[in-house]
């Protein structure tokens, strides 16, 4: 993909923008309260205005952008399919997502990318290993319109898993070890995700339905304030609240679930060895949480610059915008 594309992700109170090239830039901005509420866009006009101002503030060039689809609007699967034509593959994809989309199949777009090939003893291809996704058409259309109002043009829309797969493929291509196990922990607002790659192949993924939101809820309850204000308390570590027992209980609960996911993978894949993990995500700047997490899982924190493009690794706060980097690759 062209380096002048702008990678964009948004939701849960934050918006991300990244653009590579010789003058790489990244910007993470807090969105106005209730601009997006419970996954619903409250004011498309105000959201477009916000993105336009954000683009100007960050000095992003051009119009073309690659967009991270909201989690609620997309499904991602790895599949193994027989060797068939491209037309047959596309015809079959809706069937593979029937358990997710049920009777709404016609309202989704489907796409795939080839991960690898299965071959017989003579080297003949016997099956295709695919990455596949289904995305809600109305959501894509709505964001296309909003981005257009902001002076942007959606050229690509991907689920976050595909963005991370692109990132790992780029890392292997630039010289990272293709036989190494890479553990990525994405600390989001509404969830924490564990991704385990064997080289550039996504070997396992686990979503834990808790993240920065639970920290905000605990802070809000402690101070008797609304959750939006509590988020600012988290971001500024108001009165060292992030070191309190109130927040520590949240860290412990999430860290325990992450530990279970990693230990299960180790048990099922005893040949796989790893001692480090990469920490990213919009709430990965909550260092007290990260320290507790690393203590639970007993892994060292790896340097993100190992898997990021060179131009991105030098940017401040880039750990929070990793998926926006991946979607541009």
């Amino acid at each position: 993909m062209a380096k002048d594309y702008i990678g964009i992700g948004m939701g849960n109170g934050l918006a991300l923008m990244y653009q590579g090239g010789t003058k790489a830039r990244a910007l993470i901005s807090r969105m106005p309260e209730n601009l997006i509420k419970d996954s619903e866009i409250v004011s498309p006009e105000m959201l477009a205005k916000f993105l336009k101002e954000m683009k100007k503030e960050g000095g992003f060039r051009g119009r073309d952008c690659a967009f991270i689809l909201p989690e609620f609007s997309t499904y991602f699967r790895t599949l193994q399919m027989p060797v068939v034509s491209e037309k047959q593959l596309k015809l079959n994809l809706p069937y593979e997502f029937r358990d997710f989309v049920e009777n709404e199949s016609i309202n989704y777009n489907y796409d795939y990318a080839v991960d690898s090939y299965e071959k017989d003893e003579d080297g003949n291809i016997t099956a295709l290993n695919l990455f596949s996704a289904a995305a809600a058409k109305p959501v894509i259309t709505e964001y296309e319109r909003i981005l257009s109002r902001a002076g942007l043009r959606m050229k690509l829309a991907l689920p976050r898993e595909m963005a991370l797969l692109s990132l790992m493929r780029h890392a292997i291509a630039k010289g990272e070890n293709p036989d190494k196990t890479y553990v990525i922990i994405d600390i989001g607002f509404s969830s924490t995700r564990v991704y385990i790659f064997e080289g550039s192949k996504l070997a396992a993924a686990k979503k834990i339905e808790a993240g920065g939101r639970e920290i905000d809820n605990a802070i809000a309850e402690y101070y008797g304030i609304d959750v939006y204000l509590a988020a600012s308390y988290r971001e500024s570590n108001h009165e060292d609240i992030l070191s309190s027992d109130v927040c520590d209980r949240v860290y412990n609960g999430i860290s325990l679930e992450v530990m279970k996911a990693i230990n299960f993978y180790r048990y099922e894949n005893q040949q796989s060895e790893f001692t480090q993990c990469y920490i990213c995500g919009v709430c990965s700047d909550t260092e007290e949480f990260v320290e507790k997490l690393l203590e639970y899982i007993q892994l060292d924190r790896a340097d993100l610059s190992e898997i990021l493009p060179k131009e991105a690794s030098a940017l401040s706060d880039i750990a929070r915008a990793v998926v926006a980097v991946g979607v541009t690759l």
Side-chain angles (χ1 to χ4, degrees):
M1 183 181 295
K3 289 185 178 180
D4 281 344
Y5 275 45
I6 302 169
I8 298 176
M10 69 182 79
N12 298 317
L14 289 171
L16 318 172
M17 282 192 184
Y18 166 79
Q19 187 170 45
T22 55
K23 294 184 178 180
R25 63 211 71 200
L27 183 63
I28 298 95
S29 290
R30 192 176 183 195
M31 301 169 72
E33 188 175 8
N34 293 330
L35 204 56
I36 297 177
K37 187 175 182 180
D38 298 328
S39 301
E40 295 290 333
I41 299 172
V42 177
S43 173
E45 295 80 9
M46 290 300 297
L47 180 54
K49 181 180 179 182
F50 169 78
L51 290 172
K52 188 173 185 178
E53 291 172 351
M54 189 176 174
K55 180 176 182 286
K56 182 178 180 181
E57 177 187 350
F60 294 93
R61 307 179 306 271
R63 294 186 59 203
D64 293 345
C65 64
F67 185 68
I68 300 291
L69 289 163
E71 292 184 37
F72 73 91
S73 70
T74 183
Y75 300 100
F76 172 84
R77 291 195 66 188
T78 56
L79 301 171
Q80 187 174 94
M81 301 282 285
V83 180
V84 295
S85 68
E86 181 178 354
K87 182 178 179 180
Q88 287 174 303
L89 276 176
K90 290 189 173 182
L91 284 173
N92 194 65
L93 280 180
Y95 176 79
E96 297 295 336
F97 286 92
R98 65 192 183 283
D99 293 338
F100 301 101
V101 303
E102 296 179 342
N103 296 325
E104 296 294 318
S105 176
I106 195 172
N107 293 322
Y108 281 80
N109 286 332
Y110 304 89
D111 207 350
Y112 72 93
V114 177
D115 174 30
S116 59
Y117 301 96
E118 298 293 328
K119 297 181 179 180
D120 61 20
E121 295 178 353
D122 298 322
N124 299 312
I125 297 173
T126 58
L128 307 173
N129 295 314
L130 306 176
F131 303 129
S132 59
K137 291 179 182 178
V139 173
I140 293 175
T141 299
E142 184 172 29
Y143 275 103
E144 279 181 329
R145 290 171 179 167
I146 290 169
L147 290 167
S148 180
R149 290 174 184 170
L152 295 159
R153 180 169 49 211
M154 185 192 294
K155 300 294 286 186
L156 180 69
L158 294 177
R160 62 193 306 107
E161 291 89 350
M162 290 296 291
L164 287 174
L165 281 161
S166 294
L167 180 69
M168 291 310 303
R169 284 184 166 184
H170 178 86
I172 299 303
K174 77 170 188 175
E176 285 299 309
N177 186 352
D179 299 318
K180 179 180 174 181
T181 301
Y182 298 85
V183 180
I184 298 177
I185 302 175
D186 182 347
I187 304 173
F189 181 76
S190 59
S191 65
T192 301
R193 292 171 179 257
V194 181
Y195 299 98
I196 301 178
F197 291 85
E198 296 294 347
S200 60
K201 181 178 179 61
L202 181 59
K206 172 68 175 179
K207 180 181 179 182
I208 295 143
E209 299 285 356
R213 176 179 57 194
E214 279 61 41
I215 302 173
D216 293 352
N217 287 339
I219 294 172
E221 183 177 352
Y222 178 77
Y223 283 108
I225 58 178
D226 66 75
V227 177
Y228 189 79
L229 179 57
S232 69
Y233 279 24
R234 169 174 53 83
E235 291 168 357
S236 64
N237 194 15
H238 179 73
E239 296 181 341
D240 199 29
I241 185 63
L242 295 177
S243 298
S244 68
D245 291 342
V246 170
C247 292
D248 201 52
R249 284 191 290 270
V250 179
Y251 308 155
N252 288 337
I254 301 173
S255 298
L256 178 61
E257 295 305 314
V258 173
M259 182 183 72
K260 288 178 181 178
I262 290 174
N263 286 348
F264 180 77
Y265 184 80
R266 277 181 161 145
Y267 178 78
E268 293 290 312
N269 301 271
Q270 296 185 21
Q271 79 287 353
S272 181
E273 298 180 0
F274 51 90
T275 59
Q276 294 183 320
C277 64
Y278 299 91
I279 303 290
C280 64
V282 294
C283 293
S284 62
D285 59 337
T286 308
E287 286 299 327
E288 291 79 0
F289 179 18
V290 173
E291 289 174 9
K292 178 66 70 173
L293 177 64
L294 294 173
E295 179 184 328
Y296 261 82
I297 63 179
Q298 298 184 359
L299 295 177
D300 295 325
R301 187 173 188 171
D303 187 350
L304 271 173
S305 66
E306 295 173 357
I307 59 174
L308 287 171
K310 183 179 179 180
E311 61 269 18
S313 59
L315 298 174
S316 63
D317 212 18
I318 196 62
R320 302 175 73 197
V322 163
V323 290
V325 176
V327 78
T328 67
L329 298 173

